[in-house]
Amino acid sequence: MAVWLFDVNDLKILPYKLLDLGPCDVRVRMKAVGICESDVHYLKIMSCRHYVVREPMVIGHECAGIIEDVGTEVTSLVPGDRVALEPGHGCWRCDRCKEGLYNLCPEMKFFATPPIHGSLANQIVHPADLCFKLPDNVSLEEGAMCEPLSVGVYACRRAQVGPETNVLVIGAGPIGLVSLLAARAFGAPRIVVVDVDDYRLSVAKQFGAFDTVKVSSNIEDVKKEVEIVQKAMGGVGTDVTLDCVGFNKTMTTALSATRNGGKVCLVGMGHCGMTVPLTPAASREVDILGVFRYKNTWPQCIEFLSSGKIDVKPLITHRYGFSQKEVEEAFETSARGSNAIKVMFNL
């Protein structure tokens, strides 16, 4: 059984035919699956950026489970192992894959990205190389959280966040919060978080933000808000800004708030097209870095969780079972936002 998306606000639990188990694959019984904002986009408008749902699709991609069977050539995993699943795999043949940039593979197959089915199902078949064994002190829910955490970890890697990097995080939604946690784990001494929502900012403060700044959605307020951010940063300058929203205003803020020679990392993809002050940023040699998903992050995420450097458990604010009623309620809870950060299914 799996959760199928048929149309706007139309989810149904129905039978799902598993893929054949290949020699390098494993069959996994799903135990924990989180709801991502992209899942909500598909539910509400049947698309996310340029990906469009044109036929019924199984939804979900943040997941962890227990190995039930392994292919004939799999030696790294055995039935009973608890694993976190990386949801996307490249072709391993193109130039990008050969360079190690498999997240940019033009033939990428990614859970719940049309037309590929997702993982909100009782069982799925997946390449063994993309299933990472969890240590005893890391729960299955935490394993599922490796997916959103990977976005923050990869962003920090791209921006080379370290012990001498002061970081501004724009947006205190789930991705902004995991980016905050990742930046802390990489040793950033000062992290300021900005958002339009008081509750989200209070959560960011609880998670270790050096300071928080409430901002508006009005682009006319950028100049004065940048001044407030600079004061909140303690006058030391923002070395790296992680824009976890991706709107005209947030990127304008990011480019304006980052010091000369600093870096802006565009993590969120709220707007496909933007009008932003590139020339002033270029004259100050502010580098703009793109982030698309992640690559080779699961081992580091698991190490951060196992060592206690990152605790993602407080991010899971709502839990649901695997019934038609609970599936509908879970997605509506996630779509409403409010005090819901991460909504998790326990299968």
Side-chain angles (χ1 to χ4, degrees):
M1 304 296 283
V3 176
W4 291 81
L5 173 64
F6 284 88
D7 206 338
V8 172
N9 293 326
D10 187 6
L11 293 169
K12 290 184 175 66
I13 298 179
L14 292 171
Y16 173 51
K17 180 177 171 54
L18 285 177
L19 298 172
D20 292 333
L21 185 69
C24 298
D25 295 334
V26 293
R27 187 173 74 244
V28 186
R29 178 162 292 279
M30 290 290 95
K31 302 300 290 183
V33 181
I35 297 178
C36 174
E37 186 176 348
S38 66
D39 296 321
V40 175
H41 272 280
Y42 288 127
L43 176 65
K44 295 301 180 182
I45 60 174
M46 296 296 283
S47 67
C48 186
R49 296 185 296 278
H50 60 282
Y51 300 107
V52 180
V53 179
R54 303 188 188 280
E55 56 187 28
M57 179 185 76
V58 176
I59 206 160
H61 63 269
E62 303 176 359
C63 55
I66 299 174
I67 301 292
E68 288 200 326
D69 198 5
V70 301
T72 56
E73 296 181 16
V74 175
T75 59
S76 58
L77 297 167
V78 297
D81 282 345
R82 300 157 58 255
V83 293
L85 285 71
E86 182 172 354
H89 58 97
C91 68
W92 313 125
R93 298 184 302 274
C94 70
D95 289 342
R96 298 294 80 74
C97 283
K98 290 176 182 178
E99 292 170 352
L101 301 173
Y102 64 89
N103 59 314
L104 303 180
C105 173
E107 302 299 323
M108 168 65 73
K109 295 180 179 180
F110 194 95
F111 282 158
T113 298
I116 306 302
H117 290 307
S119 60
L120 186 46
N122 292 129
Q123 295 174 306
I124 61 99
V125 170
H126 203 52
D129 287 348
L130 296 174
C131 296
F132 299 85
K133 188 173 180 179
L134 296 172
D136 291 341
N137 67 334
V138 176
S139 70
L140 286 160
E141 286 189 340
E142 291 172 282
M145 289 295 293
C146 284
E147 198 282 335
L149 179 58
S150 284
V151 177
V153 166
Y154 184 52
C156 287
R157 283 185 188 171
R158 285 277 286 152
Q160 297 178 310
V161 172
E164 297 181 354
T165 312
N166 296 305
V167 178
L168 171 64
V169 176
I170 299 180
I175 295 303
L177 292 173
V178 294
S179 297
L180 161 64
L181 293 174
R184 288 190 64 206
F186 279 104
R190 294 190 182 203
I191 307 167
V192 173
V193 179
V194 306
D195 198 277
V196 298
D197 186 84
D198 286 319
Y199 171 72
R200 294 295 175 99
L201 289 174
S202 69
V203 174
K205 194 70 174 176
Q206 292 169 22
F207 283 7
F210 178 77
D211 204 350
T212 61
V213 176
K214 186 177 182 180
V215 294
S216 76
S217 57
N218 186 352
I219 200 165
E220 300 298 325
D221 294 333
V222 167
K223 184 176 180 180
K224 68 179 182 181
E225 289 172 355
V226 166
E227 293 174 356
I228 296 170
V229 167
Q230 290 170 338
K231 290 179 181 177
M233 195 63 76
V236 296
T238 298
D239 302 302
V240 168
T241 298
L242 305 177
D243 180 357
C244 299
V245 181
F247 288 170
N248 278 341
K249 194 211 171 190
T250 58
M251 269 302 281
T252 299
T253 299
L255 293 169
S256 303
T258 305
R259 67 162 173 81
N260 295 1
K263 299 173 184 176
V264 171
C265 204
L266 179 56
V267 184
M269 296 183 178
H271 287 161
C272 289
M274 299 187 200
T275 301
V276 295
L278 285 179
T279 302
S283 69
R284 297 189 297 111
E285 295 192 1
V286 175
D287 293 339
I288 301 174
L289 303 171
V291 169
F292 186 61
R293 293 174 178 154
Y294 35 67
K295 60 184 178 71
N296 301 315
T297 51
W298 258 251
Q300 185 162 35
C301 288
I302 292 171
E303 190 279 327
F304 279 153
L305 296 173
S306 179
S307 66
K309 288 182 179 179
I310 290 179
D311 182 8
V312 293
K313 295 189 291 295
L315 288 170
I316 305 170
T317 53
H318 295 74
R319 292 174 172 84
Y320 291 87
F322 192 63
S323 68
Q324 181 68 38
K325 180 181 178 182
E326 288 181 285
V327 165
E328 293 172 359
E329 289 179 354
F331 274 90
E332 285 308 309
T333 298
S334 185
R336 280 195 305 270
S338 185
N339 66 339
I341 298 174
K342 180 57 62 179
V343 177
M344 185 73 66
F345 288 105
N346 294 129
L347 284 71

